[in-house]
Amino acid sequence: MSMEAILQNSTDFILLGLITHPAFPGIIFAVVFSIFLVAVTANVVMILLIHVDSRLHTPMYFLLSQLSIMDTVYICITVPKMLQDLLSKEKMISFLGCSLQIFLYLTLIGGEFFLLGLMAYDRYVAVCKPLRYPLLMNRRICLFMVVGSWVGGSLDGFMLTPFTMSFPYCGSREINHFFCEIPAVLKLSCVDTSLYETLMYACCVLMLLIPISIISISYTHILLTVHRMNSAEGRHKAFATCSSHIMVVSIFYGAAFYTNVLPHSYHTPEKDKVVSAFYTILTPMLNPLIYSLRNKDVATALRKVLGRCPSSQRIRVVDLSRKY
């Protein structure tokens, strides 16, 4: 991006919010803040449980911990600013702040695309090739998967953010959204952005096709393997292993499909904001809850950690009473 373009676009933007003129901003603030608090707490607890409990030191939970890290950062990009705007009359965001929000948003949503695809491959190896699982999902390969997801997501951010912010925004500075999402920002440009939007659409579709292909192929093999199983217990275990991931994928990719694949004729500012709120606010909260509520290992680890707290407290009280 040239220095002239940066200077030309250096004026602040105004975020109109999820609801342009909310009748009860205090209620919306309380609801969004509660969801934000639950999401951050649930994801941080998930990360700590996976780190503390040795039984969760497996490739599947290592990838899950990375998903929780992405979700934690992801929700922190948009919601704190949204909460601030609900309580203030000035809903300004600087040009640099808007650029940073777009870059981080693209990086994390792209990273989740790839990570969820690779998590499906992990389930494929676990169900279809259990004897080769330690070899095919060793530590080096897991690290490569995680780094690849972060790098793949950041490439999307590095490509699209400079182009988006290099357009001249010489008209209204009011973004009809609660954060700087690219389609909402481009509507303020005073030049034709249709070619760029077409290229961006193709880029997003390509980014979706890669992980969706991995997920589709992985679960096709998983279903065929499960179908050939003679043991009902083995089938149940295979489905239990994959069900949480399938639910998370369905929720995340359903919203992503609407945002990135459906033609513009299906979009309205109100629909876009509702869908964006779903996958930027609700999805980071639902992901750890789905994995914790439907996963016996995580639930057992949580009970184990909670069980330690009272016992350790009693030990400290006993030690202190002996001293005095």
Side-chain angles (χ1 to χ4, degrees):
M1 193 191 309
S2 66
M3 183 60 68
E4 291 181 4
I6 293 173
L7 292 173
Q8 187 179 13
N9 293 318
S10 60
T11 311
D12 293 344
F13 293 102
I14 300 169
L15 293 170
L16 296 182
L18 180 62
I19 301 173
T20 307
H21 299 291
F24 304 101
I27 295 175
I28 298 172
F29 178 91
V31 171
V32 174
F33 180 73
S34 300
I35 294 171
F36 174 74
L37 200 62
V38 171
V40 172
T41 303
N43 280 293
V44 170
V45 167
M46 182 70 75
I47 294 165
L48 292 175
L49 283 178
I50 293 170
H51 177 73
V52 169
D53 198 310
S54 59
R55 289 175 299 178
L56 302 182
H57 293 173
T58 63
M60 181 180 80
Y61 292 110
F62 175 67
L63 297 176
L64 179 57
S65 70
Q66 295 301 309
L67 181 66
S68 291
I69 292 171
M70 287 182 178
D71 280 337
T72 304
V73 180
Y74 188 39
I75 198 170
C76 289
I77 293 168
T78 56
V79 173
K81 175 60 180 168
M82 179 186 179
L83 293 171
Q84 179 188 343
D85 291 343
L86 283 169
L87 297 179
S88 63
K89 293 181 179 179
E90 295 183 359
K91 302 179 180 182
M92 310 291 290
I93 184 168
S94 66
F95 177 81
L96 182 61
C98 192
S99 303
L100 185 62
Q101 205 173 57
I102 289 173
F103 172 76
L104 292 173
Y105 159 76
L106 289 173
T107 297
L108 287 159
I109 198 170
E112 286 206 27
F113 284 159
F114 291 119
L115 186 63
L116 287 171
L118 293 170
M119 288 173 75
Y121 170 77
D122 169 73
R123 294 299 82 208
Y124 155 73
V125 177
V127 174
C128 302
K129 300 180 182 296
L131 297 179
R132 299 185 65 193
Y133 186 80
L135 178 65
L136 295 176
M137 290 298 297
N138 60 48
R139 184 172 180 80
R140 179 180 294 180
I141 291 174
C142 289
L143 288 172
F144 180 77
M145 286 180 169
V146 169
V147 172
S149 298
W150 282 98
V151 171
S154 65
L155 287 176
D156 197 27
F158 279 118
M159 283 192 299
L160 297 181
T161 306
F163 281 109
T164 301
M165 303 312 289
S166 64
F167 286 107
Y169 296 101
C170 50
S172 171
R173 315 298 292 190
E174 294 182 345
I175 301 173
N176 189 12
H177 217 296
F178 62 91
F179 74 102
C180 289
E181 193 170 40
I182 290 180
V185 174
L186 289 177
K187 289 178 181 178
L188 306 183
S189 177
C190 49
V191 298
D192 183 22
T193 61
S194 56
L195 177 61
Y196 172 65
E197 288 182 55
T198 303
L199 293 172
M200 185 177 66
Y201 173 82
C203 177
C204 291
V205 169
L206 181 63
M207 281 198 70
L208 276 170
L209 282 176
I210 295 172
I212 285 176
S213 298
I214 296 171
I215 292 168
S216 301
I217 294 169
S218 296
Y219 278 108
T220 300
H221 283 286
I222 288 171
L223 288 173
L224 291 172
T225 302
V226 170
H227 178 70
R228 289 194 292 264
M229 286 182 179
N230 296 322
S231 168
E233 184 181 350
R235 289 183 181 182
H236 176 74
K237 186 177 180 181
F239 279 121
T241 304
C242 302
S243 59
S244 298
H245 182 257
I246 291 171
M247 288 182 66
V248 170
V249 165
S250 301
I251 293 169
F252 189 77
Y253 280 93
F257 182 84
Y258 169 86
T259 304
N260 300 301
V261 177
L262 286 183
H264 292 295
S265 57
Y266 289 89
H267 290 253
T268 64
E270 289 72 25
K271 286 181 182 178
D272 289 348
K273 286 193 283 186
V274 170
V275 174
S276 296
F278 180 79
Y279 68 76
T280 57
I281 301 173
L282 286 176
T283 303
M285 179 188 72
L286 292 174
N287 288 351
L289 294 180
I290 289 170
Y291 273 104
S292 60
L293 294 174
R294 297 179 59 85
N295 191 298
K296 291 182 180 179
D297 292 335
V298 175
T300 303
L302 182 60
R303 284 195 296 267
K304 183 179 176 182
V305 170
L306 293 176
R308 285 177 184 173
C309 297
S311 59
S312 61
Q313 189 68 28
R314 284 196 297 269
I315 291 169
R316 288 178 184 176
V317 171
V318 170
D319 288 343
L320 286 172
S321 62
R322 287 175 179 175
K323 285 181 180 179
Y324 295 100

